[in-house]
C-alpha cells in the first residue's frame, strides 16, 4: 500500500488523516495515511523520523508545527513558494531525492477565491503578520493581481524585509498597525498572526473592515476569534476561518503526490463547525 503521513507535535488532533482518507475514497485510490508524533528530543529526532518513514517505503509527508522549517532545511529541492515561505508543509520522496513544497498560501488563495467567491484581482488586501503563515500567502496573493497588498506586523522590520524581498513582484507595501486607521477600507483582511492561538487580538483598527468585504482567520476550530468578532462588530458579513484552507492545501498535496486533484467541497462541509 502507498504510504503517507503527517508529522507534527502535538499531532493528536490533526484532521489530515481524515481529509486524505476522504480524498482517497473519492478518487478510488488505496493508500494509508497516518499521523506521526514528531519527537522534540533527541535534537535530530524529526529528521530521523522522516528518513525512517522514507526507508520504510513512505512516498510523501505533510509537515505541521513546529517542524515546517526543519522539513524545508532537510529537503534536496525546494519550490519557489516553499523558498519564499522558508518553510515546507509537504515533502515528496522521488528518485532518491526529497522535494519540498508549501501549499498553505495557494490553499488559502483558493479557499478565498473559489470557495468564498471573493476574487482578489483589483481588490485591496490587508495581511496581518510576517511569520511563516503570512510569508506563505504573499506570492499566491500577488499572483492573484490585487490592486494593492498591505502587510502589517508588530515587528515592523520583519514586514519591511519581506516587502524588500518581493520588490518588483507586485503592488506590495508595509504599514505599521498604528498607520492603518489612515488606510481606509480593505476588501479582504487576513489574520495570519498567531494571536488567535492565545485568544489575543492583533492591534488592528475596526476601520480597515468593509461591510461588503471578507475577514479571514487562518486559525481554525477556534470559533469566533477576537479578530473575527471585531470584523463582525464592524459589520462584515463574510467571515471565515481556515478550515477551507486546510482542506485546499491538502488537495494540492494529494494532487502533487497522486496526480489527481480531489474535489474539496464535501470534505470542507464535513469539517466545518459553525462560527457562532
Ligand atoms: P506562524 O508560523 O503561525 O506564522 P510565527 O512565524 O511564529 O508563526 O509568526 C507569528 C506571527 O504572529 C508574527 O507575525 C507575530 O508578530 P511579531 O513578528 O511582531 O512577533 C504575530 N503575532 C503573534 N502574536 C501577536 C499579537 N498578539 N498581536 C499581533 N501580532 C502577533
Amino acid at each position: 500500500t502507498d504510504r503517507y503521513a503527517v508529522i507534527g507535535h502535538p499531532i493528536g488532533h490533526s484532521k489530515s488523516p481524515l481529509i486524505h482518507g476522504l480524498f482517497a475514497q473519492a478518487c478510488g485510490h488505496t493508500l494509508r495515511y497516518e499521523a506521526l508524533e514528531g519527537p522534540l528530543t533527541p535534537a535530530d529526532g524529526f529528521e530521523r523520523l522522516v528518513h525512517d518513514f522514507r526507508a520504510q517505503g513512505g512516498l510523501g509527508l505533510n509537515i505541521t508545527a513546529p517542524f515546517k522549517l526543519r522539513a524545508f532545511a532537510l529537503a534536496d529541492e525546494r519550490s519557489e513558494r516553499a523558498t519564499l515561505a522558508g518553510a515546507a508543509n509537504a515533502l515528496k520522496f522521488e528518485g532518491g531525492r526529497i522535494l519540498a513544497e508549501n501549499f498553505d498560501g495557494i490553499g488559502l488563495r483558493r479557499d478565498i477565491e473559489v470557495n468564498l467567491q471573493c476574487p482578489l484581482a483589483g481588490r485591496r488586501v490587508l495581511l496581518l503578520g510576517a511569520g511563516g503563515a503570512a510569508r506563505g500567502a504573499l506570492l499566491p496573493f500577488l499572483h492573484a493581481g490585487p490592486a494593492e497588498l498591505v502587510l502589517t506586523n508588530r515587528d515592523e522590520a520583519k514586514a519591511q524585509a519581506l516587502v524588500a524581498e518581493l520588490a518588483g513582484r507586485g503592488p506590495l507595501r508595509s504599514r505599521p498597525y498604528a498607520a492603518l486607521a489612515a488606510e481606509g477600507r480593505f476588501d479582504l483582511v487576513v489574520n495570519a498572526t498567531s494571536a488567535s492561538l492565545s485568544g489575543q487580538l492583533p492591534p488592528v483598527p475596526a476601520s480597515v473592515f468593509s461591510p461588503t468585504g471578507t475577514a479571514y482567520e487562518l486559525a481554525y476550530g477556534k470559533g469566533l476569534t477576537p479578530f473575527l468578532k471585531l470584523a463582525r462588530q464592524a459589520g462584515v458579513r463574510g467571515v471565515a476561518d481556515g478550515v477551507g484552507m486546510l482542506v485546499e492545501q491538502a488537495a494540492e498535496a494529494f494532487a502533487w503526490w497522486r496526480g489527481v486533484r480531489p474535489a474539496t467541497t464535501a470534505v470542507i462541509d464535513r469539517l466545518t463547525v459553525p462560527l457562532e
Side-chain angles (χ1 to χ4, degrees):
T1 311
D2 291 350
R3 283 184 70 193
Y4 302 87
V6 57
I7 301 180
H9 182 100
I11 201 62
H13 295 290
S14 172
K15 305 273 186 227
S16 293
L18 170 64
I19 294 170
H20 282 280
L22 293 169
F23 286 165
Q25 208 173 34
C27 296
H29 291 202
T30 303
L31 56 82
R32 185 165 146 210
Y33 190 107
E34 300 151 77
L36 301 176
E37 187 74 39
L40 299 183
T41 57
D44 65 346
F46 168 75
E47 288 74 12
R48 276 203 231 168
L49 183 59
V50 172
H51 289 295
D52 288 350
F53 185 74
R54 174 163 75 153
Q56 290 157 18
L59 297 178
L61 287 167
N62 280 128
I63 308 294
T64 186
F67 299 117
K68 290 183 184 184
L69 278 71
R70 283 165 69 177
F72 177 78
L74 72 67
D76 300 306
E77 283 174 41
R78 305 167 178 96
S79 71
E80 189 191 25
R81 295 187 272 249
T83 301
L84 185 74
N89 90 324
L91 298 176
K92 179 157 79 166
F93 306 121
E94 197 175 79
R97 300 178 71 72
I98 302 181
L99 316 186
E101 257 292 5
N102 192 317
F103 297 120
D104 286 335
I106 194 84
L108 171 64
R109 175 181 165 191
R110 213 180 147 96
D111 191 37
I112 291 169
E113 293 207 297
V114 179
N115 301 332
L116 303 175
Q117 294 187 12
C118 170
L120 300 182
R123 299 301 169 100
R124 298 192 75 215
V125 179
L126 174 63
L127 181 62
L128 309 179
R135 295 178 70 99
L138 285 172
L139 265 190
F141 276 7
L142 286 175
H143 288 157
E148 65 172 343
L149 175 54
V150 173
L151 184 66
T152 301
N153 198 48
R154 270 187 323 201
D155 177 348
E156 288 174 46
K158 263 162 81 178
Q160 285 162 358
L162 274 175
V163 170
E165 214 176 307
L166 284 162
R169 305 294 292 265
L172 173 67
R173 61 197 172 92
S174 71
R175 300 296 292 149
Y177 278 103
L180 291 180
E183 288 289 330
R185 289 173 169 178
F186 290 85
D187 302 298
L188 172 69
V189 184
V190 175
N191 183 14
T193 74
S194 54
S196 307
L197 301 182
S198 48
Q200 292 179 309
L201 178 67
V204 60
S207 58
V208 298
F209 295 104
S210 161
T212 54
T214 302
Y216 196 104
E217 170 76 71
L218 255 63
Y220 64 89
K222 303 254 166 221
L224 272 183
T225 61
F227 168 78
L228 291 179
K229 278 190 189 133
L230 183 71
R232 271 279 168 83
Q233 282 159 14
V236 178
R237 292 198 2 250
V239 302
D241 75 359
V243 67
M245 169 185 175
L246 176 73
V247 175
E248 293 296 343
Q249 67 74 29
E252 294 293 324
F254 192 96
W256 188 47
W257 295 328
R258 313 278 312 165
V260 186
R261 196 183 198 282
T264 50
T265 312
V267 179
I268 294 173
D269 288 348
R270 174 144 171 193
L271 291 178
T272 295
V273 179
L275 284 172
E276 281 81 352

